[in-house]
Amino acid sequence: MTDALKSSETSPVSGAPAPVLKAPEGGDASEARSLASDAWRELRRRPLFWISLGIIALFVLMAVVPQLFTRLDPTAASLSRGSDPPEFTWDGAWFGYDLQGYDIYARTIYGARASILVGVFATILTSLIGVVIGTISAYYGGWLDSLMMRVTDIFFAIPFLLGGILFMTTFANDENSGYFLIVGKVVLVLAILGWPSIARLMRGSVLQVKPNEYVQAARALGASPWRVIRSHILPNAMAPVLIVSMINLGAYISAEASLSFLGIGLTPPAISWGVAISDSLTYIETAPHMLIFPSIFLSLTVLGFIMLGDVVRDAFDPKTR
Amino acid sequence: MPEVILSAQNLVKHYPIRTGVMRRVTGQVKAVDGVSFELHQGETLGIVGESGCGKSTLGRLLMRLEEPTSGSVIFQGADWSAARGADMRRIRRDIQIVFQDPYTSLNPRMTVGDIVGEPFEIHSDVVPADKRRARVQELLELVGLNPEHIHRYPHQFSGGQRQRIGIARGIALNPKVLVCDEPVSALDVSVQAQVVNLMEKLQKELGLAYVFIAHDLSVVRHISDRVGVMYLGKMAELGEEDQVYDRPTHPYTQALLSAVPVPDPTLRGKRTQIVLTGDVPSPANPPAGCRFHTRCWKAQDRCKSEVPELIMRADGVGEHESACHFAEPQTIVEVKDVSASQGVEESPAVLTADQVEAIGTEPSQESST
């Protein structure tokens, strides 16, 4: 008896070869499963995931190589065809022409680039600032935490549109501003006003991960703060920020459109949906096609990113399964 | 007696209580309030006490996961609590910790190989990079895990197996002292026995000294050479395992031992049961004098003003350290060594090895659902 017990003590694994492989429920659990692989398994089965991914892929492609979608030059204007409605012939302008006689279809296709650029870079920048500030604040705590969080509060208190208007009118564009400078300014203003929410989220997330015993164990082993943050805290605290950022990406694109609509975001010669919407609003009764097409594209893009963020969040939350 | 490897000298940890907008310090939670003991090479010192008595804080102080308010920890003659930089890193190799909760003590996003191999990444001069994998597999085998599971994630293991992974990480750097903070209290009783036996085996093979913090008196008795009983941040009694268990002289120890369930039905109702009244006082405002006087049936005026020292006091046969003015031995009950493995061995309804194994593997199947 004693011997038998001993042998079972010393080799519990060889005695019961990999009992973890047999999952009583949950189907084909045949290999290593982590949270991410579980989430991927879940995502694959959701049609919404594929739809949103398809929409995003389409618009990204549009932003990278607009020439694939139209042979027309978006900067070719002809006042003689100004505000012409759509003509549904094989060779005709399906979306019609705008006030300056630009082809709306070409303008809309080329406008994707600005929107996607602004959305992607604003997201990257806000996440970067937010994650760094939030992590340092939560990990070190004390007066540093208080100081950083009060600064965050100050930025958080600035109303989004008011802050945007102030920034963009102070650093206004002129005719000579290059495309990337114009886009860069919008990205910067979105990042300055958008990072506090990410920082707060990250701080909360790190505070939740920090007391875990595996973090303590790493400290007990003598791991440097940088190592603890990099290999223990960040991988376990990033998930909420990644998902919220993805949802925010859509919001940043529409914020860019709002700023452009107010005439202070992207300005001509930059082509963007916001600019197009802004320009055409006055003529909504006489030439509604000028407004409708860029609006549809904008809504679809924003919807694509928000839907993806939503579906990914659900997949990563084990409680919703 | 083997040489002293680790000693705590009057360790104190007070946490400030801050209130109001100005975060003014309005009080102190006296989590650990003057604890001293010595740990000898290769021995096991059990620390018992109820929740909130400061035993986990003591463990964290020994690990320097918390800085003591005052007092010091001496490791091999050097003041470990004052070490900095490279000295500190070197001593960290020699003192390691095993945590209570096997579910939060392993990073869910790292493979077992990475978890057990992390000590070598941090102390990169211990094992050359190309031999680390082999060493990790060696460690897994040593703690009774399949070395081929090196690429698995923690959630694919049962609680007992996870605790073995935690132990493997703890012993990776060949420490001399392992602080075990309630290492088995989150496990099933059958699995507790396996883990306790593993720890005893490792102690014999590697010459480890354990500080074994727990609240389960029978597990502590089974594994410990010496036992310390803590109450409200202070050591109430400290002595050899049989001295403390058979001839307790501190009223708190006596009350604590009388609450241990006895697995023999014929003894039921025949033993002394000391039922304490009231609750444990708040560590933010501990009683003056002897901390136990508010609940002690022996308390007199002297206990309210004069703090009893933890000194050698007669226990009937010999003497051991006790912090009571009126220390006298009182046999509570024949507390058999009822730690789980022995319980299984002595139990009349003997389990077969297969059954034991079945019990041991059950939780792992649950965990994979």
Side-chain angles (χ1 to χ4, degrees):
Chain A
M1 177 58 222
T2 311
D3 285 350
L5 186 67
K6 282 234 176 74
S7 75
S8 79
E9 283 155 17
T10 48
S11 58
V13 172
S14 58
V20 283
L21 294 189
K22 291 175 270 153
E25 55 188 71
D28 55 339
S30 55
E31 60 200 280
R33 287 174 62 175
S34 61
L35 185 65
S37 71
D38 267 349
W40 171 234
R41 204 182 299 266
E42 171 83 11
L43 277 178
R44 273 188 315 198
R45 289 192 284 112
R46 300 283 297 273
L48 220 63
F49 171 70
W50 294 109
I51 293 171
S52 56
L53 211 63
I55 293 175
I56 290 168
L58 186 71
F59 283 107
V60 167
L61 194 66
M62 213 178 273
V64 178
V65 271
Q67 296 86 350
L68 272 185
F69 296 83
T70 176
R71 282 171 290 112
L72 297 171
D73 180 2
T75 56
S78 165
L79 281 173
S80 62
R81 59 191 186 197
S83 307
D84 279 3
E87 42 183 305
F88 297 103
T89 58
W90 177 243
D91 240 4
W94 288 16
F95 288 14
Y97 295 97
D98 73 0
L99 202 63
Q100 313 290 330
Y102 290 121
D103 184 272
I104 291 182
Y105 177 69
R107 295 287 279 186
T108 310
I109 296 289
Y110 277 85
R113 178 174 288 173
S115 297
I116 302 277
L117 272 182
V118 167
V120 168
F121 281 100
T123 303
I124 291 175
L125 208 57
T126 44
S127 308
L128 227 93
I129 302 172
V131 164
V132 169
I133 301 266
T135 307
I136 292 175
S137 191
Y139 187 79
Y140 289 99
W143 64 268
L144 192 65
D145 181 28
S146 306
L147 181 76
M148 284 175 132
M149 279 303 112
R150 292 303 80 76
V151 172
T152 308
D153 287 346
I154 291 169
F155 277 91
F156 204 69
I158 303 173
F160 197 89
L161 269 182
L162 187 65
I165 291 168
L166 268 176
F167 184 92
M168 295 307 286
T169 45
T170 314
F171 305 98
N173 295 315
D174 55 38
E175 268 85 80
N176 304 323
S177 306
Y179 182 75
F180 288 102
L181 183 69
I182 297 174
V183 171
K185 269 188 207 165
V186 175
V187 168
L188 199 64
V189 74
L190 291 176
I192 288 172
L193 297 169
W195 68 266
S197 62
I198 300 284
R200 282 187 173 181
L201 184 70
M202 191 64 193
R203 177 172 174 270
S205 187
V206 170
L207 283 179
Q208 214 167 25
V209 170
K210 199 179 138 193
N212 272 320
E213 287 176 345
Y214 55 81
V215 177
Q216 305 298 325
R219 284 182 54 210
L221 281 166
S224 60
W226 166 235
R227 185 187 184 89
V228 172
I229 289 173
R230 181 172 48 100
S231 56
H232 295 284
I233 290 186
L234 283 187
N236 288 292
M238 278 301 283
V241 166
L242 286 180
I243 287 151
V244 168
S245 295
M246 215 181 288
I247 295 173
N248 277 356
L249 206 154
Y252 291 140
I253 292 178
S254 66
E256 176 269 311
S258 316
L259 288 177
S260 303
F261 173 75
L262 293 170
I264 48 169
L266 299 180
T267 46
I271 305 165
S272 106
W273 297 330
V275 173
I277 292 167
S278 162
D279 286 350
S280 53
L281 204 71
T282 334
Y283 308 97
I284 186 165
E285 281 170 11
T286 49
H289 65 273
M290 283 164 40
L291 177 66
I292 288 169
F293 292 107
S295 305
I296 290 175
F297 273 57
L298 174 70
S299 310
L300 274 178
T301 315
V302 173
L303 191 72
F305 280 107
I306 291 181
M307 244 164 39
L308 183 68
D310 235 24
V311 95
V312 169
R313 179 185 58 199
D314 287 350
F316 270 95
D317 185 357
K319 279 179 239 127
T320 59
R321 269 182 229 135
Chain B
M1 192 162 245
E3 64 172 302
V4 173
I5 187 158
L6 183 79
S7 71
Q9 294 183 347
N10 213 9
L11 269 182
V12 175
K13 179 69 189 178
H14 291 178
Y15 293 100
I17 307 168
R18 293 174 195 277
T19 46
V21 189
M22 300 306 294
R23 318 280 298 142
R24 218 153 36 85
V25 178
T26 52
Q28 306 274 342
V29 173
K30 294 168 180 159
V32 174
D33 205 11
V35 169
S36 305
F37 61 81
E38 287 180 340
L39 179 71
H40 301 105
Q41 205 147 25
E43 79 162 351
T44 303
L45 173 68
I47 305 280
V48 286
E50 57 197 297
S51 309
C53 73
K55 52 192 195 303
S56 284
T57 308
L58 178 66
R60 295 169 62 85
L61 286 174
L62 295 178
M63 287 308 302
R64 278 197 71 183
L65 288 171
E66 302 271 357
E67 296 296 328
T69 308
S70 70
S72 54
V73 182
I74 308 290
F75 176 76
Q76 286 188 321
D79 190 350
W80 154 227
S81 46
R84 292 277 174 273
D87 283 345
M88 178 154 153
R89 279 171 66 86
R90 207 177 49 246
I91 299 180
R92 282 215 181 278
R93 280 188 207 169
D94 287 331
I95 309 181
Q96 274 305 311
I97 188 162
V98 174
F99 286 102
Q100 170 180 13
D101 188 349
Y103 292 89
T104 63
S105 62
L106 307 176
N107 186 341
R109 288 178 195 266
M110 283 167 83
T111 62
V112 172
D114 289 337
I115 290 169
V116 179
E118 195 179 22
F120 304 128
E121 300 273 320
I122 294 167
H123 300 271
S124 49
D125 49 332
V126 178
V127 178
D130 53 329
K131 299 213 172 84
R132 279 179 199 160
R133 192 192 151 92
R135 176 80 184 120
V136 168
Q137 291 187 321
E138 224 172 86
L139 281 165
L140 290 179
E141 210 162 356
L142 189 64
V143 297
L145 290 172
N146 188 340
E148 281 161 25
H149 292 172
I150 192 164
H151 293 303
R152 290 203 176 172
Y153 286 90
H155 71 271
Q156 295 171 296
F157 292 89
S158 69
Q161 289 172 323
R162 282 160 163 251
Q163 202 56 301
R164 287 169 192 267
I165 297 166
I167 293 172
R169 173 179 59 193
I171 61 173
L173 296 171
N174 266 326
K176 299 191 172 75
V177 176
L178 199 60
V179 175
C180 310
D181 185 3
E182 307 235 18
V184 297
S185 46
L187 305 175
D188 285 355
V189 175
S190 56
V191 182
Q192 280 188 7
Q194 297 175 0
V195 171
V196 167
N197 288 334
L198 167 69
M199 294 183 69
E200 290 189 319
K201 181 190 107 176
L202 292 174
Q203 184 167 42
K204 269 187 218 112
E205 286 175 14
L206 307 172
L208 288 163
Y210 290 139
V211 176
F212 194 95
I213 298 165
H215 58 249
D216 187 329
L217 292 165
S218 22
V219 169
V220 168
R221 169 160 219 194
H222 177 70
I223 197 168
S224 302
D225 301 309
R226 289 192 305 134
V227 177
V229 180
M230 280 185 75
Y231 182 77
L232 260 182
K234 275 190 179 298
M235 201 69 94
E237 190 158 6
L238 181 66
E240 304 279 318
E241 163 248 318
D242 50 340
Q243 290 172 334
V244 173
Y245 278 79
D246 295 340
R247 305 183 293 277
T249 60
H250 196 287
Y252 177 65
T253 317
Q254 292 162 358
L256 206 58
L257 287 174
S258 83
V260 176
V262 178
D264 184 351
T266 58
L267 282 174
R268 200 171 287 158
K270 289 183 183 166
R271 65 205 184 106
T272 338
Q273 271 213 325
I274 305 166
V275 181
L276 295 177
T277 52
D279 284 327
V280 184
S282 160
N285 186 19
C290 173
R291 300 220 157 162
F292 189 56
H293 83 251
T294 52
R295 307 171 73 192
C296 184
W297 63 95
K298 286 179 175 175
Q300 296 181 14
D301 281 349
R302 184 183 173 198
C303 302
K304 290 176 189 162
S305 52
E306 193 182 326
V307 180
E309 295 292 312
L310 183 70
I311 49 170
M312 289 291 186
R313 293 176 204 264
D315 62 7
V317 179
E319 52 173 24
H320 66 271
E321 285 176 284
S322 173
C324 177
H325 295 305
F326 306 103
E328 55 178 352
Q330 180 180 2
T331 305
I332 297 304
V333 75
E334 275 305 295
V335 183
K336 284 261 172 54
D337 201 336
V338 285
S339 76
S341 75
Q342 301 252 335
V344 170
E345 280 174 16
E346 289 166 9
S347 161
V350 177
L351 294 174
T352 66
D354 292 358
Q355 283 172 314
V356 171
E357 230 153 61
I359 294 168
T361 55
E362 215 165 20
S364 57
Q365 288 174 349
E366 279 163 21
S367 73
S368 62
T369 60

